[in-house]
Amino acid sequence: MKMEEVSMSSLDNSKLEGLAQDILSDLVEDACLGLCFEVHRAVKQGYFFLDDTDQESMRDFEIVDQPGLDVFGQVYNQWKNKECVCPNCSRSIAASRFAPHLEKCLGMGRNSSRIANRRIVTGNNTNNKSESDQEDNDDVNDNDWSYGAEKKAKKRKSDKVLLIFFAEILQV
Amino acid sequence: MSRESRMRATINQRLTEKGERERLKELLRVKLTECGWKDQMKAHCKEVIKDKGLEHITVEDLVVEITPKGRALVPDSVKKELLQRIRAFLAQHAT
């Protein structure tokens, strides 16, 4: 009779459970043996105790578990409330806001050029009214390329519309 | 050979043939490392070696000292997980 033809249906549940436990037992024993061989080889090849140092050094580098300290024993929120003086504008800035402030102040960050552009545009808008008579100020009227100016102009228009609308409603 | 032992032999053979035994071994190895069993056992090994002497330690010494403790220290969660997989395999292949 071939092995494969043997029917398993006569193995009841308790026997199956027993079999499962035996298989687990074999696997655990295998793991233990594997460990023994690994350790034995490490001992004979001389690298088993390599990661040990003397007791004193072990104590020096033990993990620190105290409030307010990180695992190395260093204080990690020491600079939370300190203030720094900006070398550019000489203002006193909080430490956590210092880096973003420097970015804007020195004109070097990702957004600082955009903010600068917007300022130029709004500067142009206010200049427009006072310098419209001067012919030599060509770039003042050049609003085709500055998207920001159109946005501000449209915004003001829609604000006016809303104000009129609300005013009419309130009058009722 | 009784019917039962024939069936057991067949199951074991199938376990190996399908590669499931290797997968289970690897799973057990990973789980035991994750749960710290391996580190615990290694620490115990250090004791045994310091006891018997570095030069004279044999595999037999280690097996005798390590295996009983190793069996006892396997966490229940790991046993449970392995058993689940074994039972699933039996359910699939034992009919």
Side-chain angles (χ1 to χ4, degrees):
Chain A
M1 180 159 59
K2 285 190 209 160
M3 277 278 199
E4 299 91 80
E5 284 173 8
V6 173
S7 145
M8 303 291 165
S9 50
S10 56
L11 267 183
D12 57 36
N13 269 343
S14 63
K15 297 233 172 85
L16 271 179
E17 185 59 27
L19 181 56
Q21 292 284 352
D22 285 345
I23 294 173
L24 178 66
S25 193
D26 279 342
L27 289 168
V28 169
E29 174 137 3
D30 214 66
C32 291
L33 271 178
L35 182 71
C36 287
F37 283 127
E38 202 181 300
V39 167
H40 184 258
R41 184 168 202 273
V43 166
K44 294 303 174 188
Q45 294 286 328
Y47 60 83
F48 185 61
F49 287 108
L50 221 55
D51 52 352
D52 280 349
T53 41
D54 57 300
Q55 268 293 84
E56 208 175 287
S57 310
M58 296 268 269
R59 258 177 294 159
D60 279 342
F61 297 117
E62 241 180 65
I63 291 181
V64 176
D65 189 15
Q66 289 169 29
L69 298 179
D70 63 17
V71 286
F72 297 114
Q74 296 165 346
V75 186
Y76 61 83
N77 53 6
Q78 207 176 8
W79 312 110
K80 234 201 238 180
N81 304 320
K82 296 251 166 151
E83 286 194 350
C84 325
V85 177
C86 174
N88 207 32
C89 60
S90 305
R91 291 213 313 228
S92 185
I93 313 283
S96 50
R97 299 301 308 161
F98 190 51
H101 164 78
L102 260 190
E103 255 192 330
K104 309 256 172 2
C105 198
L106 294 171
M108 278 174 58
R110 275 176 63 193
N111 290 325
S112 52
S113 57
R114 278 175 239 189
I115 295 174
N117 260 335
R118 265 178 50 207
R119 290 216 189 103
I120 292 171
V121 165
T122 44
N124 266 350
N125 274 340
T126 51
N127 279 340
N128 244 341
K129 294 166 190 164
S130 57
E131 293 173 348
S132 49
D133 291 312
Q134 292 175 16
E135 300 283 299
D136 43 333
N137 227 345
D138 295 302
D139 22 359
V140 164
N141 293 315
D142 234 60
N143 278 336
D144 316 274
W145 60 269
S146 56
Y147 174 72
E150 285 166 16
K151 231 167 119 179
K152 289 257 159 80
K154 275 191 194 154
K155 203 176 168 194
R156 289 199 202 107
K157 196 179 168 188
S158 56
D159 281 347
K160 279 191 193 161
V161 173
L162 275 170
L163 277 170
I164 296 169
F165 183 65
F166 280 126
E168 300 206 285
I169 289 177
L170 288 169
Q171 273 173 13
V172 176
Chain B
M1 219 178 166
S2 75
R3 188 164 199 189
E4 191 186 320
S5 40
R6 266 202 305 249
M7 288 177 206
R8 282 171 154 249
T10 310
I11 287 263
N12 278 314
Q13 184 187 355
R14 213 163 275 182
L15 206 59
T16 311
E17 276 171 6
K18 298 276 176 190
E20 185 67 7
R21 175 162 265 132
E22 276 305 311
R23 282 192 287 269
L24 287 169
K25 272 196 207 175
E26 184 60 24
L27 178 66
L28 182 60
R29 206 185 55 84
V30 167
K31 290 287 161 188
L32 287 175
T33 310
E34 272 178 6
C35 72
W37 176 93
K38 193 171 177 185
D39 292 325
Q40 259 182 309
M41 295 308 297
K42 262 192 161 174
H44 187 58
C45 287
K46 283 188 185 165
E47 304 289 306
V48 172
I49 292 166
K50 281 182 184 149
D51 207 30
K52 303 265 179 173
L54 198 71
E55 299 296 317
H56 310 297
I57 193 91
T58 63
V59 182
E60 272 305 313
D61 289 334
L62 284 171
V63 169
V64 160
E65 299 285 337
I66 297 308
T67 309
K69 192 156 188 193
R71 285 176 169 282
L73 283 177
V74 178
D76 284 335
S77 55
V78 175
K79 280 193 210 167
K80 218 170 157 181
E81 195 173 337
L82 265 288
L83 274 176
Q84 244 176 344
R85 270 199 55 167
I86 295 169
R87 284 187 204 121
F89 182 85
L90 291 178
Q92 230 189 344
H93 295 258
T95 40

